[in-house]
Amino acid sequence: MNSKTVGAGSSRRGLRGAVLGATMVAALLTATACQPSGGDDKAAASPTAAPSAGGSTSESTEPSGDSGTGSSSTTGAGSGDSGETGGGNGTAYADCEVTGLNTAVELQDGSGETPRHFLLTVTNSTRTPCVLNDAPQVRLKAGNDAPIVDTLGEPDTEPVVVEGGGKAYAGLYVFGNDEGGEAEYDQSDRFTATLVAGEGTELGGTLIFDLPDGLDTVSVDDAARVNGWAGTEGLAMRPIIQL
């Protein structure tokens, strides 16, 4: 009986030891699995590089926007001056040339009156508009040495555009002496008018205005005045007729 009893207790002790050992191994394995490895730390840190890459992309797009703006501005500025001609008259048309203008003179005084007031007319014989500037440089005697008639007041600085086939006018007053008698006065059988270029400092060609029919010569003196180019007869003659 003693031997059976001793044998049973020993068997139970061996089973309990085996169970405790298995429990300790399982606990150890669980604890080891919960600890993070060094490789996981490196993988987790990699997303922090994304903001740096985004900043670099933003900087690279800015220069392309500035380049486009500069190009557009340069193009606009380059086309701004294309409207003016080389003559500098401020219009899209060239100055009139004497070879393209026909001339005529009309007496504005009545029958029996001393011839004093004249209307100078030019007709553009071409199909292209052209420009007359300021007042013509009128001489009442032949030759370039003859004195230039003074302008009545300040000439209109706006250029006069003469359409193809159109006309422009200038008023001319030639004689102011009312004494009469036996005095001798200078006589003229024609008028000349030199055109002023758009710059105002250069001269174009010279036009010749023959006197109207019935007049061989007219008396002239220092009282002579010319009114600058105008687009209508009235504008050309209104201030002249007051003299």
Side-chain angles (χ1 to χ4, degrees):
M1 296 238 356
N2 290 337
S3 63
K4 287 182 181 179
T5 302
V6 171
S10 174
S11 175
R12 286 194 295 271
R13 284 195 299 270
L15 180 61
R16 185 181 300 113
V19 171
L20 288 173
T23 301
M24 291 178 65
V25 170
L28 252 166
L29 290 174
T30 300
T32 302
C34 291
Q35 293 178 357
S37 65
D40 291 338
D41 289 343
K42 292 179 181 178
S46 62
T48 59
S52 174
S56 174
T57 301
S58 174
E59 291 175 359
S60 66
T61 58
E62 290 178 2
S64 64
D66 292 342
S67 174
T69 302
S71 175
S72 175
S73 174
T74 301
T75 302
S79 61
D81 296 333
S82 62
E84 287 201 13
T85 65
N89 60 38
T91 78
Y93 307 109
D95 289 346
C96 294
E97 298 182 3
V98 294
T99 54
L101 298 175
N102 296 328
T103 63
V105 179
E106 183 179 348
L107 177 63
Q108 300 294 294
D109 300 301
S111 177
E113 296 180 355
T114 301
R116 305 171 186 274
H117 306 88
F118 295 88
L119 177 67
L120 309 183
T121 303
V122 294
T123 302
N124 183 1
S125 61
T126 73
R127 296 182 179 180
T128 304
C130 65
V131 174
L132 294 171
N133 305 285
D134 298 330
Q137 293 192 355
V138 174
R139 291 179 171 86
L140 303 180
K141 300 178 184 178
N144 291 333
D145 293 335
I148 297 173
V149 173
D150 290 338
T151 302
L152 181 62
E154 291 295 327
D156 190 351
T157 57
E158 291 296 322
V160 175
V161 177
V162 189
E163 299 292 339
K167 300 178 183 295
Y169 309 91
L172 179 63
Y173 178 76
V174 298
F175 185 66
N177 195 315
D178 287 323
E179 293 181 4
E182 301 296 327
E184 295 287 335
Y185 303 107
D186 290 335
Q187 300 291 308
S188 176
D189 62 355
R190 66 183 58 188
F191 311 134
T192 65
T194 301
L195 303 182
V196 177
E199 294 289 350
T201 57
E202 298 179 0
L203 301 179
T206 298
L207 299 168
I208 297 176
F209 292 84
D210 293 324
L211 295 181
D213 292 341
L215 287 177
D216 295 325
T217 63
V218 293
S219 298
V220 296
D221 63 13
D222 293 341
R225 294 292 184 271
V226 62
N227 192 30
W229 296 114
T232 66
E233 297 182 12
L235 289 175
M237 288 304 304
R238 190 172 296 121
I240 287 292
I241 208 70
Q242 303 300 320
L243 298 177

